[in-house]
Amino acid sequence: MTRRVGDLRRTYTGETDSTLRATVTAGMTALTPPDRATILTTLNSGYETRLLGENPGPPVEEHIRRTVLADTTDPAQQQLEAGILLALGQIGPYQWPATAVVAPMPVCFMVRPVLDDTHHTAHTVLHLRPATATPMITTLLPRIVDDHVHGLPGLRVRLCRRHVELYLIDSGEDVSVSLASTSYRQWAAMLAFARTLTGRHWQPAFQDPLTTPEQTAIAAGRVPGPVPVASALLRRLRVLGDTVWLTIRVDGPTGLRVQWAGGRTAAQVAAALVHPLTGVPGERFTATRDTDDSVTVTVWETTPEPTATVNLRQASLTAPPPFTRIDATDAWEAFDHALALPHPVSPRPAAFTR
């Protein structure tokens, strides 16, 4: 059962055995025999009718789902993760100069939701290639243009020994997403890319106080769209498979539109998102196929009105992408130049906290 749960979780996260087996084994050991029996029954039962609003099989309690694949209920953590997901959905126009593909692939090769020792809070660790993380950071880092905030208001950066932590300065230290295996040299190169594209200079450990425009933007709503569902999608981003390009757009206050080329089909992704153990949180789901061959998954919680809709569409590899390429040649040259500098040293050694 532990092996089956691990293989199921890997479908969503892309984790390797080095972390996956230990995490799943510890989680299964902590559960009671009735909880493990519920998992086994769920694994052995069909769940496809959840696509039509039915919930077959025994109910899966939230503590079981958190053990298998943890979500967060912290609104600030959800906002941070939703902002990162939307930023990843905007990097398609940036082409990596050394390749001929439309965008880096896959967008994310591993995402790891991590529970703390009390199993009450959960942060996320992302494993991204530089070709993905660099334009994502450029999209996320907040800057003020004509009193309007571009990027994610309140986002700040901590430099650690083996990774970089993104956090919200107004939400405490526990709210964070880590960029794994990111050295200071790589981080400096990312900032060089961002500086070349935007003309804005950020310190490596960007910890400036909140600005007035940021406070205004936060009060108006830091992230648009269905934030809890977007956070849950980030934690399951590998469910799309090896996408060639990916776009994610907000469709009103409760809708997301996810489009990609390559990877899994929209029907496969829709089925995975309603899995009772590892799917996105929700009491009830319905899925409909649209005229453009996309699949729309509607999520209900306990209210009579739908909580969110996620439109999923896999585009043909031969179809032109739904965006215009951005010429980032100079920015990538600045990235390469910073990466090649001899012996880069952080100007703030004390910023390395872990």
Side-chain angles (χ1 to χ4, degrees):
M1 185 178 67
T2 298
R3 182 174 61 253
R4 291 175 65 186
V5 170
D7 291 341
L8 176 63
R9 172 170 165 144
R10 195 199 314 270
T11 302
Y12 298 81
T13 65
E15 292 170 275
T16 60
D17 284 346
S18 60
T19 60
L20 181 68
R21 296 303 185 196
T23 300
V24 174
T25 300
M28 294 297 102
T29 302
L31 291 176
T32 65
D35 289 340
R36 292 195 291 271
T38 296
I39 292 177
L40 186 59
T41 300
T42 304
L43 290 174
N44 290 336
S45 303
Y47 67 94
E48 293 78 6
T49 56
R50 282 171 67 90
L51 291 165
L52 301 174
E54 295 183 357
N55 284 317
V60 180
E61 300 294 337
E62 183 58 30
H63 72 277
I64 298 177
R65 284 177 45 85
R66 285 176 62 82
T67 299
V68 176
L69 203 167
D71 284 293
T72 179
T73 57
D74 186 311
Q77 183 74 31
Q78 290 175 343
Q79 291 173 34
L80 175 59
E81 294 178 0
I84 291 173
L85 177 80
L86 295 178
L88 286 171
Q90 299 177 48
I91 67 170
Y94 301 92
Q95 183 183 14
W96 183 253
T99 68
V101 298
V102 175
M105 60 178 183
V107 170
C108 170
F109 66 89
M110 190 192 307
V111 55
R112 187 158 56 92
V114 180
L115 281 172
D116 69 359
D117 292 337
T118 65
H119 279 216
H120 292 307
T121 60
H123 65 279
T124 302
V125 179
L126 290 177
H127 295 253
L128 305 173
R129 289 178 172 81
T132 300
T134 302
M136 181 198 75
I137 288 298
T138 302
T139 302
L140 279 174
L141 286 174
R143 63 188 188 279
I144 313 301
V145 180
D146 297 330
D147 291 328
H148 180 71
V149 180
H150 293 251
L152 187 62
L155 181 76
R156 296 299 185 265
V157 177
R158 279 191 292 264
L159 301 181
C160 305
R161 294 190 182 278
R162 297 178 182 88
H163 63 276
V164 171
E165 282 187 358
L166 308 178
Y167 70 100
L168 299 177
I169 194 171
D170 57 311
S171 301
E173 295 186 358
D174 291 336
V175 174
S176 68
V177 171
S178 298
L179 303 182
S181 304
T182 303
S183 66
Y184 175 73
R185 181 191 294 272
Q186 293 169 321
W187 180 247
M190 293 180 192
L191 292 182
F193 178 97
R195 182 170 59 249
T196 302
L197 273 187
T198 66
R200 169 74 158 84
H201 180 80
W202 291 273
Q203 294 295 326
F206 175 52
Q207 298 174 342
D208 297 353
L210 276 178
T211 62
T212 299
E214 283 183 298
Q215 292 174 341
T216 302
I218 292 170
R222 192 189 325 249
V223 183
V227 170
V229 171
S231 168
L233 282 176
L234 179 73
R235 293 171 176 240
R236 296 161 175 81
L237 195 54
R238 283 295 296 159
V239 75
L240 299 175
D242 288 339
T243 57
V244 178
W245 53 259
L246 168 69
T247 63
I248 302 174
R249 299 287 184 266
V250 173
D251 187 13
T254 62
L256 286 175
R257 288 188 173 272
V258 184
Q259 186 176 3
W260 67 95
R264 295 187 175 93
T265 68
Q268 289 172 326
V269 174
L273 292 183
V274 305
H275 195 286
L277 282 174
T278 46
V280 297
E283 292 291 326
R284 186 165 63 92
F285 304 89
T286 57
T288 56
R289 184 175 288 278
D290 303 314
T291 55
D292 60 353
D293 287 333
S294 66
V295 177
T296 298
V297 177
T298 304
V299 184
W300 275 269
E301 294 291 349
T302 55
T303 60
E305 295 297 322
T307 304
T309 60
V310 182
N311 180 265
L312 305 164
R313 184 172 185 269
Q314 182 196 41
S316 169
L317 288 172
T318 59
F323 49 77
T324 302
R325 293 183 182 181
I326 294 175
D327 184 4
T329 302
D330 292 344
W332 285 120
E333 287 179 353
F335 176 93
D336 291 337
H337 175 74
L339 202 62
L341 289 176
H343 309 300
V345 177
S346 169
R348 297 183 60 181
F352 287 89
T353 58
R354 301 176 190 173

